[in-house]
Amino acid sequence: MKLSKTYRTALIAIAGFLLTAALHKGPVAHANSPLGVRNIVIVHGAWADGSSWAKVIPLLQANGLHVVAVQNPLTSLADDVAAAKRAIALQDGPVLLVGHSYGGVVITEEGNDPKVVGLVYVAALAPSDGESVASITKPFPPSPARQRGPRRC
């Protein structure tokens, strides 16, 4: 199976985080450890949905991890954070939270949840406290899609 660059990057980032934590014997370890992270909650970006992780999830599950892709409603940041919060609450034990693109903003908001032991940003926006998508992207020119204006149907 051929994986896209984003999927390969996601797998490498997640595996790297788990391996680093295991080597440092911190609170996070590999999936076979009784105290390690077995739960991964993945948050998609603004131009996708939870199915965008369909190729990554089985690969992580094959390694003994419990993986959930959040289905963001994309109605507001607060609604998307609430969806991630519900997914985290359903996990039994520590959670590694993964965000792609706009999903990075969502995981930053939810990163203080007591169950969350780490954040992985995959080609994602990584705001600091109090930063918004607008404040992060302000120094850069608009994307080609934004320059054209809204689409008319």
Side-chain angles (χ1 to χ4, degrees):
M1 160 174 44
K2 185 175 179 173
L3 296 175
S4 75
K5 234 181 210 183
T6 300
Y7 291 126
R8 283 194 309 268
T9 302
L11 289 174
I12 291 167
I14 294 165
F17 181 87
L18 292 172
L19 179 60
T20 301
L23 291 174
H24 288 106
K25 298 183 181 181
V28 181
H30 57 26
N32 295 326
S33 167
L35 299 175
V37 172
R38 292 187 182 95
N39 301 302
I40 298 178
V41 174
I42 306 175
V43 180
H44 63 80
W47 304 107
D49 66 15
S51 69
S52 64
W53 294 99
K55 291 183 179 180
V56 173
I57 292 171
L59 298 171
L60 294 168
Q61 289 172 331
N63 286 298
L65 298 166
H66 178 256
V67 185
V68 173
V70 174
Q71 186 62 40
N72 290 333
L74 297 174
T75 51
S76 70
L77 176 59
D79 291 345
D80 296 340
V81 170
K85 185 179 206 67
R86 287 189 298 273
I88 293 165
L90 292 171
Q91 305 312 304
D92 182 21
V95 173
L96 180 62
L97 201 49
V98 178
H100 171 255
S101 186
Y102 159 77
V105 177
V106 176
I107 70 169
T108 297
E109 290 289 318
E110 203 45 42
N112 291 327
D113 185 291
K115 282 188 172 182
V116 174
V117 295
L119 302 174
V120 176
Y121 294 86
V122 179
L125 295 168
S128 296
D129 284 342
E131 280 189 311
S132 66
V133 172
S135 67
I136 293 171
T137 58
K138 186 177 181 176
F140 304 102
S143 69
R146 287 186 61 207
Q147 289 175 339
R148 286 192 300 263
R151 287 175 51 181
R152 307 265 185 233
C153 295

